Coordinates of all heavy atoms in Angstrom, one line a residue:
I77 N -4.9 -70.2 3.7 CA -3.4 -70.1 3.6 C -2.8 -71.2 4.5 O -3.5 -71.8 5.3 CB -2.9 -68.7 4.2 CG1 -3.5 -68.5 5.6 CG2 -3.3 -67.6 3.2 CD1 -2.9 -67.2 6.2
P78 N -1.6 -71.6 4.3 CA -1.0 -72.7 5.0 C -1.0 -72.4 6.6 O -0.9 -71.3 7.0 CB 0.5 -72.8 4.6 CG 0.5 -72.2 3.2 CD -0.6 -71.1 3.2
F79 N -1.3 -73.5 7.3 CA -1.4 -73.4 8.8 C -2.5 -72.5 9.4 O -2.4 -72.1 10.5 CB 0.0 -73.0 9.4 CG 1.1 -73.9 8.8 CD1 2.1 -73.2 8.0 CD2 1.2 -75.2 9.0 CE1 3.1 -74.0 7.5 CE2 2.2 -76.0 8.5 CZ 3.2 -75.3 7.7
S80 N -3.5 -72.2 8.6 CA -4.5 -71.3 9.1 C -5.4 -72.1 10.0 O -6.2 -71.5 10.8 CB -5.3 -70.7 7.9 OG -5.9 -71.8 7.1
G81 N -5.5 -73.5 9.9 CA -6.2 -74.3 10.8 C -7.7 -74.5 10.4 O -8.2 -73.8 9.6
K82 N -8.3 -75.4 11.1 CA -9.7 -75.7 10.7 C -10.7 -74.7 11.2 O -11.9 -74.8 10.8 CB -10.0 -77.1 11.3 CG -10.0 -77.2 12.8 CD -10.2 -78.6 13.2 CE -10.0 -78.8 14.8 NZ -10.1 -80.1 15.2
Y83 N -10.3 -73.7 12.0 CA -11.3 -72.7 12.4 C -11.2 -71.4 11.6 O -11.9 -70.5 11.8 CB -11.1 -72.4 13.9 CG -11.4 -73.6 14.8 CD1 -10.3 -74.1 15.5 CD2 -12.6 -74.2 14.9 CE1 -10.5 -75.3 16.3 CE2 -12.8 -75.3 15.6 CZ -11.8 -75.9 16.3 OH -12.0 -77.0 17.0
D84 N -10.4 -71.5 10.5 CA -10.5 -70.5 9.5 C -11.8 -70.8 8.7 O -12.6 -71.5 9.2 CB -9.2 -70.6 8.6 CG -9.1 -69.4 7.6 OD1 -9.9 -68.4 7.8 OD2 -8.3 -69.5 6.7
G85 N -12.0 -70.3 7.6 CA -13.2 -70.3 6.9 C -14.0 -71.7 6.9 O -15.2 -71.7 6.8
V86 N -13.2 -72.8 6.9 CA -13.9 -74.1 6.8 C -15.0 -74.3 7.8 O -16.1 -74.8 7.5 CB -12.8 -75.2 6.9 CG1 -13.5 -76.6 7.0 CG2 -11.8 -75.1 5.8
V87 N -14.8 -73.8 9.0 CA -15.8 -74.1 10.1 C -17.0 -73.2 9.8 O -18.2 -73.6 10.1 CB -15.2 -73.7 11.5 CG1 -15.0 -72.3 11.7 CG2 -16.1 -74.4 12.6
G88 N -16.8 -72.1 9.1 CA -18.0 -71.3 8.7 C -18.9 -71.9 7.7 O -20.1 -71.7 7.7
V89 N -18.3 -72.7 6.8 CA -19.1 -73.5 5.8 C -19.7 -74.7 6.4 O -20.9 -75.0 6.4 CB -18.3 -73.8 4.6 CG1 -19.1 -74.6 3.5 CG2 -17.7 -72.5 3.9
L90 N -18.8 -75.6 6.9 CA -19.3 -76.8 7.5 C -20.2 -76.7 8.7 O -21.1 -77.4 8.9 CB -18.1 -77.7 7.8 CG -17.1 -78.1 6.7 CD1 -16.1 -79.1 7.1 CD2 -17.9 -78.5 5.4
G91 N -19.8 -75.6 9.5 CA -20.6 -75.3 10.7 C -22.0 -74.9 10.4 O -23.0 -75.3 11.0
A92 N -22.2 -74.2 9.3 CA -23.5 -73.8 8.8 C -24.4 -75.0 8.4 O -25.5 -75.1 8.7 CB -23.4 -72.8 7.7
I93 N -23.7 -75.9 7.6 CA -24.4 -77.1 7.2 C -24.7 -78.0 8.4 O -25.8 -78.5 8.5 CB -23.5 -77.9 6.2 CG1 -23.3 -77.1 5.0 CG2 -24.1 -79.3 5.9 CD1 -22.3 -77.7 4.0
Q94 N -23.8 -78.1 9.4 CA -24.1 -78.8 10.6 C -25.2 -78.3 11.4 O -26.0 -79.0 12.0 CB -22.8 -78.9 11.4 CG -22.9 -79.8 12.7 CD -23.3 -81.2 12.4 OE1 -23.1 -81.7 11.3 NE2 -23.8 -81.9 13.4
A95 N -25.2 -76.9 11.4 CA -26.3 -76.3 12.2 C -27.7 -76.6 11.6 O -28.7 -76.9 12.3 CB -26.1 -74.8 12.2
I96 N -27.7 -76.6 10.3 CA -29.0 -77.0 9.6 C -29.4 -78.4 9.9 O -30.5 -78.7 10.1 CB -28.8 -76.7 8.0 CG1 -28.9 -75.2 7.8 CG2 -29.9 -77.4 7.3 CD1 -28.7 -74.8 6.3
R97 N -28.4 -79.3 9.8 CA -28.6 -80.7 10.1 C -29.2 -80.8 11.5 O -30.1 -81.5 11.8 CB -27.3 -81.4 10.0 CG -27.5 -83.0 10.1 CD -26.1 -83.7 9.9 NE -25.6 -83.7 8.6 CZ -24.3 -83.6 8.3 NH1 -23.5 -83.5 9.2 NH2 -24.0 -83.6 7.0
A98 N -28.6 -80.1 12.5 CA -29.1 -80.1 13.9 C -30.5 -79.5 14.0 O -31.4 -80.1 14.7 CB -28.2 -79.3 14.8
L99 N -30.8 -78.5 13.3 CA -32.2 -77.9 13.3 C -33.2 -78.9 12.7 O -34.3 -79.0 13.2 CB -32.2 -76.6 12.5 CG -31.4 -75.4 13.1 CD1 -31.3 -74.3 12.1 CD2 -32.1 -74.9 14.3
Q100 N -32.8 -79.6 11.7 CA -33.7 -80.5 11.0 C -34.0 -81.7 12.0 O -35.1 -82.2 12.0 CB -33.1 -81.1 9.7 CG -33.1 -79.9 8.6 CD -32.4 -80.4 7.4 OE1 -31.6 -81.3 7.3 NE2 -32.7 -79.6 6.3
K101 N -33.0 -82.1 12.8 CA -33.1 -83.2 13.7 C -34.2 -82.9 14.7 O -34.9 -83.8 15.2 CB -31.8 -83.5 14.4 CG -31.0 -84.6 13.8 CD -29.9 -85.0 14.7 CE -29.0 -86.0 14.0 NZ -27.7 -86.2 14.6
V102 N -34.4 -81.6 15.1 CA -35.4 -81.3 16.1 C -36.7 -80.8 15.4 O -37.5 -80.1 15.9 CB -34.9 -80.3 17.1 CG1 -33.8 -80.9 18.0 CG2 -34.4 -79.0 16.5
S103 N -36.8 -81.1 14.0 CA -38.0 -80.7 13.2 C -38.2 -79.2 13.2 O -39.4 -78.8 13.1 CB -39.2 -81.5 13.7 OG -39.0 -82.9 13.7
F104 N -37.2 -78.4 13.3 CA -37.3 -77.0 13.2 C -37.6 -76.6 11.7 O -37.0 -77.2 10.8 CB -36.1 -76.3 13.6 CG -36.1 -74.8 13.5 CD1 -36.8 -74.0 14.4 CD2 -35.4 -74.2 12.5 CE1 -36.9 -72.6 14.3 CE2 -35.5 -72.8 12.3 CZ -36.2 -72.0 13.2
Q105 N -38.6 -75.7 11.5 CA -38.9 -75.3 10.2 C -38.7 -73.8 10.1 O -39.5 -73.1 10.8 CB -40.4 -75.7 9.9 CG -40.8 -75.3 8.5 CD -40.1 -76.1 7.4 OE1 -40.1 -77.3 7.4 NE2 -39.4 -75.4 6.5
P106 N -37.8 -73.3 9.4 CA -37.5 -71.8 9.4 C -38.6 -71.1 8.6 O -39.1 -71.6 7.6 CB -36.1 -71.7 8.7 CG -36.1 -72.9 7.8 CD -36.8 -74.0 8.5
R107 N -38.9 -69.9 9.1 CA -39.9 -69.1 8.3 C -39.1 -68.4 7.1 O -39.6 -68.4 6.0 CB -40.4 -68.0 9.2 CG -41.6 -67.3 8.6 CD -42.5 -66.6 9.8 NE -41.7 -65.5 10.4 CZ -41.9 -64.2 10.0 NH1 -42.6 -63.9 9.0 NH2 -41.2 -63.3 10.6
R108 N -37.9 -68.0 7.4 CA -37.1 -67.4 6.2 C -36.3 -68.6 5.7 O -35.9 -69.5 6.5 CB -36.1 -66.4 6.8 CG -36.8 -65.1 7.3 CD -35.6 -64.2 7.8 NE -36.2 -63.0 8.4 CZ -36.6 -61.9 7.6 NH1 -36.4 -61.9 6.4 NH2 -37.1 -60.9 8.2
A109 N -35.9 -68.5 4.4 CA -35.0 -69.5 3.9 C -33.7 -69.3 4.6 O -33.3 -68.1 5.0 CB -34.8 -69.3 2.4
I110 N -32.8 -70.3 4.7 CA -31.5 -70.2 5.2 C -30.6 -70.7 4.0 O -30.8 -71.7 3.5 CB -31.3 -71.1 6.4 CG1 -32.2 -70.6 7.6 CG2 -29.8 -71.1 6.8 CD1 -32.1 -71.5 8.8
E111 N -29.6 -69.8 3.7 CA -28.7 -70.2 2.6 C -27.3 -70.3 3.1 O -26.7 -69.4 3.8 CB -28.7 -69.1 1.5 CG -29.9 -69.2 0.6 CD -29.7 -68.6 -0.7 OE1 -28.7 -67.9 -1.0 OE2 -30.6 -68.7 -1.6
V112 N -26.7 -71.5 2.9 CA -25.3 -71.7 3.2 C -24.5 -71.2 2.0 O -24.8 -71.6 0.9 CB -25.0 -73.1 3.5 CG1 -23.5 -73.3 3.8 CG2 -25.9 -73.7 4.6
I113 N -23.5 -70.4 2.2 CA -22.7 -69.9 1.1 C -21.2 -70.3 1.2 O -20.7 -70.1 2.3 CB -22.8 -68.3 1.0 CG1 -24.3 -67.9 1.0 CG2 -22.0 -67.8 -0.2 CD1 -24.4 -66.4 1.1
M114 N -20.7 -70.8 0.2 CA -19.2 -71.0 0.2 C -18.6 -70.0 -0.8 O -18.8 -70.1 -2.1 CB -18.9 -72.4 -0.2 CG -17.4 -72.7 -0.2 SD -17.0 -74.4 -0.5 CE -16.1 -74.2 -2.0
F115 N -17.9 -69.0 -0.3 CA -17.3 -68.0 -1.2 C -16.1 -68.5 -1.9 O -15.3 -69.2 -1.3 CB -16.9 -66.8 -0.4 CG -18.0 -66.1 0.4 CD1 -18.0 -66.1 1.8 CD2 -19.0 -65.4 -0.3 CE1 -19.0 -65.5 2.4 CE2 -20.0 -64.8 0.4 CZ -20.0 -64.8 1.8
T116 N -16.0 -68.2 -3.2 CA -14.9 -68.7 -4.0 C -13.7 -67.8 -3.8 O -13.9 -66.6 -3.6 CB -15.3 -68.8 -5.5 OG1 -14.2 -69.5 -6.1 CG2 -15.5 -67.5 -6.1
S117 N -12.5 -68.3 -3.8 CA -11.3 -67.6 -4.0 C -11.1 -66.4 -2.9 O -10.9 -65.3 -3.3 CB -11.1 -67.0 -5.4 OG -11.2 -68.0 -6.3
E118 N -11.3 -66.8 -1.7 CA -11.2 -65.8 -0.6 C -9.8 -65.3 -0.4 O -9.5 -64.2 -0.2 CB -11.8 -66.4 0.7 CG -11.7 -65.4 1.9 CD -12.9 -64.5 2.0 OE1 -13.8 -64.6 1.1 OE2 -12.9 -63.7 2.9
E119 N -8.9 -66.3 -0.4 CA -7.5 -66.0 -0.2 C -6.9 -65.5 -1.5 O -7.4 -65.8 -2.6 CB -6.7 -67.2 0.3 CG -7.3 -67.8 1.6 CD -7.2 -66.8 2.8 OE1 -6.6 -65.8 2.7 OE2 -7.9 -67.1 3.8
P120 N -5.8 -64.7 -1.5 CA -5.2 -64.2 -2.7 C -5.0 -65.2 -3.8 O -4.5 -66.3 -3.5 CB -3.9 -63.5 -2.3 CG -4.2 -63.2 -0.8 CD -5.1 -64.3 -0.3
T121 N -5.4 -65.0 -5.0 CA -5.3 -65.9 -6.0 C -4.1 -65.6 -6.9 O -3.3 -64.7 -6.6 CB -6.6 -65.8 -7.0 OG1 -6.5 -64.5 -7.6 CG2 -7.8 -66.0 -6.2
R122 N -3.9 -66.4 -7.9 CA -2.8 -66.2 -8.8 C -2.9 -64.8 -9.6 O -2.0 -64.3 -10.2 CB -2.7 -67.3 -9.8 CG -3.7 -67.3 -10.9 CD -3.8 -68.7 -11.6 NE -4.0 -68.6 -13.0 CZ -4.5 -69.5 -13.7 NH1 -4.9 -70.7 -13.2 NH2 -4.7 -69.4 -15.1
F123 N -4.1 -64.2 -9.4 CA -4.3 -62.9 -10.1 C -4.0 -61.8 -9.1 O -4.2 -60.6 -9.4 CB -5.7 -62.8 -10.6 CG -6.0 -63.8 -11.7 CD1 -6.5 -65.0 -11.4 CD2 -5.5 -63.6 -13.0 CE1 -6.7 -66.0 -12.4 CE2 -5.7 -64.5 -14.0 CZ -6.3 -65.7 -13.7
G124 N -3.7 -62.1 -7.9 CA -3.2 -61.1 -6.9 C -4.1 -60.4 -6.0 O -3.8 -59.5 -5.3
F125 N -5.4 -60.9 -6.1 CA -6.4 -60.3 -5.1 C -7.2 -61.4 -4.4 O -7.4 -62.5 -5.0 CB -7.3 -59.3 -5.8 CG -7.7 -59.7 -7.2 CD1 -8.8 -60.6 -7.3 CD2 -7.2 -59.1 -8.3 CE1 -9.2 -61.0 -8.6 CE2 -7.6 -59.5 -9.6 CZ -8.6 -60.4 -9.7
G126 N -7.6 -61.1 -3.3 CA -8.4 -62.0 -2.4 C -9.8 -61.6 -2.3 O -10.3 -60.5 -2.9
C127 N -10.6 -62.3 -1.6 CA -12.0 -62.1 -1.3 C -12.8 -61.9 -2.6 O -13.7 -61.0 -2.7 CB -12.2 -60.8 -0.4 SG -11.3 -60.9 1.1
L128 N -12.4 -62.6 -3.6 CA -13.0 -62.4 -5.0 C -14.5 -62.7 -5.0 O -15.3 -61.8 -5.4 CB -12.2 -63.4 -5.9 CG -12.5 -63.2 -7.4 CD1 -11.3 -63.8 -8.1 CD2 -13.7 -63.9 -7.9
G129 N -14.9 -63.8 -4.4 CA -16.3 -64.2 -4.5 C -17.2 -63.2 -3.7 O -18.2 -62.8 -4.2
S130 N -16.7 -62.9 -2.5 CA -17.5 -62.0 -1.7 C -17.5 -60.6 -2.2 O -18.6 -59.9 -2.1 CB -17.0 -62.1 -0.2 OG -15.7 -61.9 -0.1
R131 N -16.4 -60.2 -2.7 CA -16.4 -58.8 -3.3 C -17.3 -58.7 -4.5 O -18.0 -57.7 -4.8 CB -15.0 -58.4 -3.7 CG -14.2 -58.0 -2.5 CD -12.7 -58.0 -2.8 NE -12.3 -56.9 -3.6 CZ -11.1 -56.8 -4.2 NH1 -10.2 -57.7 -4.1 NH2 -10.8 -55.7 -5.0
A132 N -17.3 -59.8 -5.3 CA -18.2 -59.8 -6.5 C -19.7 -59.8 -6.0 O -20.5 -59.0 -6.6 CB -18.0 -61.0 -7.4
M133 N -20.0 -60.6 -5.0 CA -21.4 -60.5 -4.5 C -21.8 -59.2 -4.0 O -22.9 -58.7 -4.1 CB -21.5 -61.6 -3.4 CG -21.6 -63.0 -4.0 SD -21.6 -64.2 -2.7 CE -23.2 -63.9 -1.9
A134 N -20.8 -58.5 -3.3 CA -21.1 -57.2 -2.8 C -21.0 -56.1 -3.8 O -21.3 -54.9 -3.5 CB -20.1 -56.9 -1.6
Q135 N -20.6 -56.4 -5.0 CA -20.4 -55.5 -6.1 C -19.5 -54.3 -5.6 O -19.8 -53.1 -5.9 CB -21.7 -54.9 -6.6 CG -22.7 -56.0 -7.0 CD -23.9 -55.5 -7.7 OE1 -23.8 -54.9 -8.7 NE2 -25.1 -55.7 -7.1

Side-chain angles (χ1 to χ4, degrees):
I77 55 174
F79 310 114
S80 58
K82 59 188 174 183
Y83 300 111
D84 189 14
V86 172
V87 73
V89 177
L90 301 188
I93 295 171
Q94 181 62 19
I96 286 177
R97 189 180 284 146
L99 290 169
Q100 290 174 343
K101 265 191 186 167
V102 294
S103 304
F104 178 76
Q105 183 64 57
R107 193 158 69 91
R108 295 177 184 276
I110 298 174
E111 282 203 352
V112 180
I113 306 172
M114 183 175 116
F115 298 113
T116 190
S117 307
E118 179 83 2
E119 303 297 348
T121 64
R122 73 198 220 204
F123 297 94
F125 40 75
C127 306
L128 191 156
S130 51
R131 283 165 71 193
M133 284 175 66
Q135 306 191 60

